[in-house]
């Protein structure tokens, strides 16, 4: 057993985390933070030590936070809720697209479009227009236009694809937002907070965990770390059966489970 595992176990032995699980998490690089000089003071409770000027995240704290986040997301799924997945960095793209397809969740992997949540009705209209253009192109309804006009419409569709692809299933405000890297996606976090939508997020040592309803202290740069956390979430929420169907509405998200 490594010395780091022994040290992590000492921080919170009551969690019951076994050696194999801690080693697995360490191999995924979940415990690696940033340099000490970059640490957000509010992350101090989640840090157990420093190695070569790199802050190390307390994996027991990660497991405890992950359990809370998973329980919340399981409740959302059980009630037929909608979860928006947000991660534009290449390291997270594959797993986010996988989760989106598996649970039919909306997602953002290219660029966060300002107003996605705070100006939802306008964004929804643009998304519906994008969907209609694609249908018209596929059905041949654009054949009535000239070649030059069709080319211009196709170029417009390509541009809109970057902005709206992934948002087609965002038919109403989501009941939760899952974010990887809150510093990179600070606008998404601000919009969720303003819209009173709970946020679950991987939070690195240079970020402020108090901005997040369900912060999960973890390395949000390494693909292995991101994959481990999100696959853990996937394996838990896929066990949940949806027991309440939520009517499709742009004004009726689930009641905030925190209240």
């Amino acid at each position: 057993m490594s010395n780091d595992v022994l040290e992590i176990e000492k921080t919170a032995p009551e969690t019951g985390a076994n050696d194999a699980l801690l080693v697995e998490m360490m191999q995924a690089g979940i415990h690696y933070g940033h340099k000490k000089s970059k640490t957000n003071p509010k992350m101090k409770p989640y840090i157990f030590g420093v190695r070569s000027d790199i802050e190390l995240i307390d994996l027991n704290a990660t497991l405890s936070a992950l359990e809370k986040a998973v329980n919340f997301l399981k409740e959302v799924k059980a009630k037929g809720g909608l979860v928006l997945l947000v991660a534009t960095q290449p390291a997270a793209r594959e797993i986010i697209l996988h989760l989106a397809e598996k649970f039919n969740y909306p997602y953002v992997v290219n660029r966060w479009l300002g107003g996605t949540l705070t100006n939802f009705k306008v964004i929804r209209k643009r998304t519906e227009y994008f969907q209609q253009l694609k249908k018209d192109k596929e059905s041949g309804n654009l054949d009535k236009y000239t070649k030059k006009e069709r080319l211009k419409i196709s170029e417009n569709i390509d541009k809109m694809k970057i902005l709206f692809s992934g948002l087609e299933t965002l038919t109403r405000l989501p009941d939760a937002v899952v974010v990887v890297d809150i510093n990179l996606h600070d606008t998404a976090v601000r919009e969720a907070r303003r819209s009173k939508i709970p946020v679950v997020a991987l939070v690195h040592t240079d970020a402020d965990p108090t901005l997040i309803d369900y912060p999960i202290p973890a390395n949000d740069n390494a693909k292995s770390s991101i994959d481990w956390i999100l696959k853990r979430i996937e394996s838990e929420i896929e066990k949940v059966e949806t027991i309440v169907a939520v009517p499709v509405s742009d004004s009726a998200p689930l009641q905030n489970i925190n209240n």
Side-chain angles (χ1 to χ4, degrees):
M1 188 190 311
S2 74
N3 290 332
D4 282 348
V5 170
L6 288 171
E7 290 298 320
I8 292 172
E9 284 188 318
K10 290 176 184 177
T11 62
E14 68 275 9
T15 61
N18 59 51
D19 298 344
L21 183 60
L22 292 175
V23 170
E24 186 180 312
M25 295 173 73
M26 291 183 69
Q27 289 175 338
I30 294 171
H31 63 308
Y32 286 122
H34 288 286
K35 287 186 177 181
K36 189 175 180 180
S37 60
K38 292 185 177 181
T39 299
N40 188 304
K42 294 180 180 179
M43 278 295 292
K44 286 295 184 181
Y46 302 108
I47 295 171
F48 88 93
V50 182
R51 295 287 185 276
S52 302
D53 200 37
I54 299 297
E55 298 274 24
L56 299 180
I57 296 168
D58 181 353
L59 295 181
N60 281 295
T62 300
L63 285 172
S64 178
L66 181 57
E67 182 179 6
K68 292 177 183 177
V70 165
N71 287 339
F72 165 69
L73 291 173
K74 286 166 74 172
E75 287 187 53
V76 172
K77 185 172 187 290
K79 294 183 179 182
L82 193 63
V83 179
L84 174 61
L85 308 174
V86 182
T88 61
Q89 61 273 55
R93 183 183 180 92
E94 182 180 350
I95 185 64
I96 288 295
L97 290 175
H98 167 72
L99 292 177
E101 181 179 2
K102 184 165 189 175
F103 299 113
N104 195 32
Y105 284 159
Y107 62 88
V108 175
V109 293
N110 290 318
R111 180 170 72 85
W112 179 264
L113 188 61
T116 296
L117 301 178
T118 52
N119 199 17
F120 174 75
K121 290 185 178 181
V122 172
I123 298 299
R124 182 58 191 165
K125 287 181 180 178
R126 295 296 295 165
T127 304
E128 289 174 343
Y129 176 61
F130 167 58
Q131 291 175 295
Q132 188 59 52
L133 281 181
K134 289 196 300 180
K135 288 179 182 178
D136 288 344
K137 183 177 180 179
E138 293 169 0
S139 64
N141 286 344
L142 299 181
D143 292 346
K144 60 185 177 182
Y145 296 103
T146 65
K147 183 177 180 180
K148 184 177 181 180
E149 288 172 331
R150 291 198 303 272
L151 179 60
K152 189 172 182 179
I153 293 173
S154 293
E155 290 174 349
N156 190 31
I157 291 175
D158 290 339
K159 291 178 181 178
M160 294 181 77
K161 184 177 182 179
I162 296 174
L163 297 174
F164 302 111
S165 182
L167 296 180
E168 290 96 330
T169 54
L170 190 65
T171 54
R172 59 178 177 82
L173 284 174
D175 303 293
V177 179
V178 173
V179 180
V180 179
D181 193 333
I182 64 173
N183 286 343
L184 179 62
H185 303 103
D186 57 327
T187 303
V189 172
R190 282 199 306 271
E191 289 195 25
R193 286 167 60 86
R194 284 180 59 187
S195 304
K196 301 187 186 308
I197 300 170
V199 178
V200 173
L202 275 69
V203 181
H204 215 163
T205 55
D206 61 343
D208 181 358
T210 64
L211 298 175
I212 307 302
D213 300 272
Y214 298 92
I216 304 170
N219 179 350
D220 61 15
N221 294 134
K223 184 179 186 301
S224 56
S225 174
I226 296 168
D227 284 353
W228 194 95
I229 295 291
L230 293 185
K231 285 179 180 178
R232 190 89 174 178
I233 290 175
E234 174 191 359
S235 67
E236 290 299 316
I237 65 176
E238 71 179 345
K239 301 173 185 176
V240 179
E241 294 294 333
T242 300
I243 57 177
V244 177
V246 177
V248 175
S249 167
D250 61 8
S251 60
L254 289 176
Q255 183 178 358
N256 190 331
I257 297 175
N258 285 325
N259 295 335

